[in-house]
Amino acid sequence: MQEEQKVPREPSQTRQLSSCKETILNKSLVSKQQERSFFQFLLQRLLTNPYQNPYHPPTFFGKFAFYTVEMLRISRALDSDFTTQIESALQSLMIEAFEGDFSEEDWQHTFGGMRFLGFMDNQLIAHGAVIQRWMDVDGERKLVGYVEGIAVAPTLWRKGFGSLLMAELTTYCRSEFPLSLLSTDEKDFYRRHGWSDFAGESYVSNAGVEIRTEDEDEGLMYLLGSSQDNVGPRKVVCESRAGDAW
């Protein structure tokens, strides 16, 4: 018979990362009532004070132990702020988060703007970048914020860290750009942060020639700046680049 796992008594006795929602220790010993009490307690914590103290230790509640989004520290950084150590850690994170489907072109697309780096216990566990791209938007030349490289360490997926990171990026985009864009297959996630489905036509400009990119329309989403009217773009034209244009 497998030896029963001991319930930790102090935060220093465990380093196991767990969900901002749940990690259940000795689950077989926990009643349904205890589960309900735990989730009520967690919900109250997250709603009343979700961003307090990024170095807050894990909290213990009965048979449960969990790490919350309070522990995530998000830093802004320019490309020039990179150290060799951070760049290496970031490349490893991107490859792992995208399960190997992250090319050199994808890596280069994350350069040229503001990066948002998420740390937990001094380990890089999340990243997002907002780069600057000049585009023609409904016939007007605009500097657009374009979101690239949203990633969270796979062991921490669906635990709230990506949402916290995206909330920071969204606030930045609203305040710094008249229009921001991104391309994604995970639209529901971005809708929750106020991004809207693009309903217009997309093009890429190559040597001054506009080429329709109809296949990209469905994946595009936009966010208007805080000073803009609530009217989404109808036609967007980006400059060609190595790899994916959008």
Side-chain angles (χ1 to χ4, degrees), residues 129-131 133-137 142-148 150 166 169 173 177-184 190 195-203 217 219-225 232-238 241 245-246:
V130 182
I131 66 169
R133 298 185 70 180
W134 283 101
M135 297 187 187
D136 289 327
V137 180
K142 289 185 178 182
L143 185 62
V144 173
Y146 198 80
V147 176
E148 294 277 9
I150 299 295
M166 198 60 210
L169 266 76
C173 287
F177 298 96
L179 175 71
S180 297
L181 292 166
L182 59 81
S183 180
T184 182
Y190 295 99
W195 292 73
S196 302
D197 292 31
F198 175 67
E201 296 183 348
S202 66
Y203 295 78
D217 292 353
L220 288 174
M221 303 189 77
Y222 72 91
L223 181 79
L224 297 176
R234 302 302 303 172
K235 178 183 177 181
V236 291
V237 185
C238 71
R241 61 182 183 178
W246 293 103

Side-chain angles (χ1 to χ4, degrees), residues 76 116 130 147 150 163-177 180 182 189-190 192-195 223-226:
R76 296 184 183 186
F116 294 77
V130 182
V147 176
I150 299 295
S163 290
L164 184 56
L165 180 77
M166 198 60 210
E168 291 283 333
L169 266 76
T170 298
T171 298
Y172 175 78
C173 287
R174 276 203 178 103
S175 65
E176 298 297 323
F177 298 96
S180 297
L182 59 81
F189 172 76
Y190 295 99
R192 292 196 292 270
H193 292 279
W195 292 73
L223 181 79
L224 297 176
S226 56

Side-chain angles (χ1 to χ4, degrees), residues 1-227:
M1 180 179 296
Q2 186 177 0
E3 183 179 352
E4 182 179 293
Q5 183 181 358
K6 294 182 180 180
V7 178
R9 298 301 180 184
E10 298 180 3
S12 60
Q13 292 178 302
T14 181
R15 303 300 299 170
Q16 181 182 1
L17 290 175
S18 69
S19 170
C20 66
K21 296 180 180 177
E22 62 182 293
T23 287
I24 301 175
L25 304 179
N26 294 334
K27 185 174 183 179
S28 61
L29 301 179
V30 179
S31 69
K32 291 296 184 182
Q33 180 59 44
Q34 286 175 308
E35 283 192 43
R36 285 192 293 268
S37 298
F38 165 71
F39 289 119
Q40 290 171 357
F41 165 78
L42 176 57
L43 181 60
Q44 182 180 15
R45 282 286 305 279
L46 295 179
L47 290 178
T48 56
N49 200 3
Y51 303 108
Q52 182 186 20
N53 191 357
Y55 297 105
H56 196 283
T59 303
F60 291 83
F61 181 84
K63 301 292 183 180
F64 301 95
F66 62 92
Y67 283 72
T68 73
V69 291
E70 296 172 355
M71 300 187 66
L72 183 67
R73 174 173 58 88
I74 298 176
S75 299
R76 296 184 183 186
L78 299 173
D79 299 332
S80 58
D81 297 326
F82 268 9
T83 63
T84 302
Q85 183 179 9
I86 291 178
E87 184 169 353
S88 176
L90 178 55
Q91 286 183 303
S92 297
L93 170 66
M94 303 302 282
I95 292 172
E96 185 180 9
F98 285 91
E99 300 178 322
D101 187 20
F102 194 77
S103 66
E104 176 61 25
E105 288 86 358
D106 294 330
W107 170 245
Q108 293 301 323
H109 291 170
T110 68
F111 286 79
M114 182 67 71
R115 294 183 186 271
F116 294 77
L117 306 176
F119 294 90
M120 181 182 294
D121 293 336
N122 294 321
Q123 297 295 315
L124 180 63
I125 62 99
H127 167 271
V130 182
I131 66 169
Q132 299 178 358
R133 298 185 70 180
W134 283 101
M135 297 187 187
D136 289 327
V137 180
D138 295 330
E140 182 180 351
R141 192 74 167 164
K142 289 185 178 182
L143 185 62
V144 173
Y146 198 80
V147 176
E148 294 277 9
I150 299 295
V152 175
T155 55
L156 296 172
W157 284 354
R158 302 187 185 282
K159 302 178 189 301
F161 299 108
S163 290
L164 184 56
L165 180 77
M166 198 60 210
E168 291 283 333
L169 266 76
T170 298
T171 298
Y172 175 78
C173 287
R174 276 203 178 103
S175 65
E176 298 297 323
F177 298 96
L179 175 71
S180 297
L181 292 166
L182 59 81
S183 180
T184 182
D185 294 327
E186 304 291 338
K187 285 193 166 185
D188 286 343
F189 172 76
Y190 295 99
R191 288 185 188 118
R192 292 196 292 270
H193 292 279
W195 292 73
S196 302
D197 292 31
F198 175 67
E201 296 183 348
S202 66
Y203 295 78
V204 59
S205 177
N206 190 352
V209 178
E210 292 184 3
I211 302 171
R212 182 79 167 93
T213 52
E214 186 174 358
D215 291 343
E216 302 290 347
D217 292 353
E218 186 177 356
L220 288 174
M221 303 189 77
Y222 72 91
L223 181 79
L224 297 176
S226 56
S227 62

